[in-house]
Amino acid sequence: MSQVSERYGTDKSSTPAFALRGVVEGFYGRPWTHEQRLDVIDFIAERGMNVFVYTPKDDPLVRKAWRQPYTGEQLERLGELAEACRRRGMDLVYCLSPGLSIRYSSADNIAELCAKFDSVASLGIGFFGLLLDDIPDELQHDADRERFDDLAHAHTHIVGEVFAHLQGKDAGNRLIVCPTAYWGYGDEPYVERLGRGIDPRIEFFWTGRAICSATIDLADAAAVTRTIARPVTYWDNYPVNDVAMGGELHIGPYRGRDRHLYRFSTGVIANGMELFESSKIAFATIADYLWDPEHYDPEASWAVALRDVVASDADLDAFAIFADNVRGSCLSQSDAPMVSAALEQFTFEQETGDARAASAKLVAV
């Protein structure tokens, strides 16, 4: 068992700072395999996480074909994910993204949405997500424009209908919503109207000041909390590297998050990469932060994560050097801090001292 597992998997003497601590499969690109999902559930559970969010953007049954029910092997596999989470004391959050085609004014469309949630509830799932991100920010259908003032009005309506339905089925059911405007200063009119218009028991996803936020500080969290009258759950777009970030390898440590963020947030759900094994390095450091952010040390956590994930001790030193030289991401402006520092020192010593000695030092890096 790893050091992280020993700390969070068996030692329950401490209490985690954040209530929700988890991972979301929510990237654009080839979804993880069923076996990889089962693997990641075990991996993050051992590190004290308690949520796995299922909503791969390129799973047609989640987004494009959201009305279509799960059948056969698809239904069986979703049930296996739910059971794996239950065994680990985790919640499986099942999300739908109907916003590209749904008519908000259509009772039939809302009934279809609720029926899809009901079909997965039969597997013992009681935590659901309604994701309204990455869709047009204006109403598209004539019937919707006639009935609703704007998108905020329509979304308040549909979220209310879905939550009422879920509560009618089981008062213990939970719902989390991702708004269309899911990043910014937190005081945007759409965000305020939606947040104030829906039931206060409904949870709320937010990514911070940007889609991929370099920092998330307490002032940002307090601002959006005041606006929507509830603490947010951060959908943190790290280590995800989809779309324009495809050339980046996000295996550096988690950083830039306020050590008191838990005071205005229910938790953090980290969006993974299509690169499944590589995602684990960041996930391990995120788990450390979420358990004890006030004492979190990014570099110390990263050293343990690398040792945890790299299969062979013989490969660890080489991989650590490689990892240190591909740190560039929204969380790290420097792509190769160790080499950059060595080059800066070499330049200085070459100009002011022994050029041969400076070259020898550079080669040793």
Side-chain angles (χ1 to χ4, degrees), residues 209-350:
R209 285 286 183 91
I211 296 173
C212 301
S213 293
T215 61
I216 300 175
D217 62 39
L218 206 57
D220 290 343
V224 69
T225 293
R226 285 193 300 269
T227 297
I228 65 173
R230 75 202 71 204
V232 294
T233 297
Y234 281 95
W235 172 309
D236 204 339
N237 278 316
Y238 187 78
V240 67
N241 67 339
D242 58 5
V243 196
M245 299 178 290
E248 300 172 2
L249 183 58
H250 294 171
I251 56 175
Y254 196 53
R255 61 174 67 251
R257 278 62 184 138
D258 196 292
R259 65 192 184 98
H260 294 293
L261 189 63
Y262 64 92
R263 300 181 186 276
F264 288 102
S265 170
T266 56
V268 174
I269 310 298
N271 195 6
M273 294 187 281
E274 182 181 330
L275 302 171
F276 169 74
E277 287 292 337
S278 296
S279 295
K280 290 180 177 179
I281 298 170
F283 290 163
T285 67
I286 293 167
D288 271 359
Y289 167 82
L290 292 174
W291 193 277
D292 187 8
E294 294 193 39
H295 298 98
Y296 172 67
D297 181 334
E299 297 302 318
S301 175
W302 193 47
V304 174
L306 290 174
R307 189 162 60 248
D308 238 16
V309 174
V310 176
S312 167
D313 288 343
D315 297 331
L316 180 59
D317 289 343
F319 189 86
I321 293 172
F322 165 74
D324 195 70
N325 284 280
V326 290
R327 286 208 194 194
S329 72
C330 65
L331 304 189
S332 176
Q333 292 184 351
S334 178
D335 198 36
M338 185 167 61
V339 170
S340 296
L343 287 171
E344 290 174 0
Q345 185 66 23
F346 168 75
T347 301
F348 174 78
E349 291 188 4
Q350 187 181 42

Side-chain angles (χ1 to χ4, degrees), residues 9-59:
T10 61
D11 178 10
K12 299 298 183 182
S13 60
S14 59
T15 301
F18 289 92
L20 297 181
R21 310 173 304 283
V23 162
V24 53
E25 183 186 355
F27 51 84
Y28 289 95
R30 182 180 57 194
W32 291 336
T33 67
H34 182 61
E35 290 71 24
Q36 287 173 334
R37 292 180 188 121
L38 293 172
D39 186 349
V40 82
I41 287 169
D42 285 341
F43 183 86
I44 65 176
E46 288 177 358
R47 288 152 182 83
M49 288 187 172
N50 61 358
V51 176
F52 177 69
V53 180
Y54 179 84
T55 183
K57 288 289 197 294
D58 288 337
D59 178 348

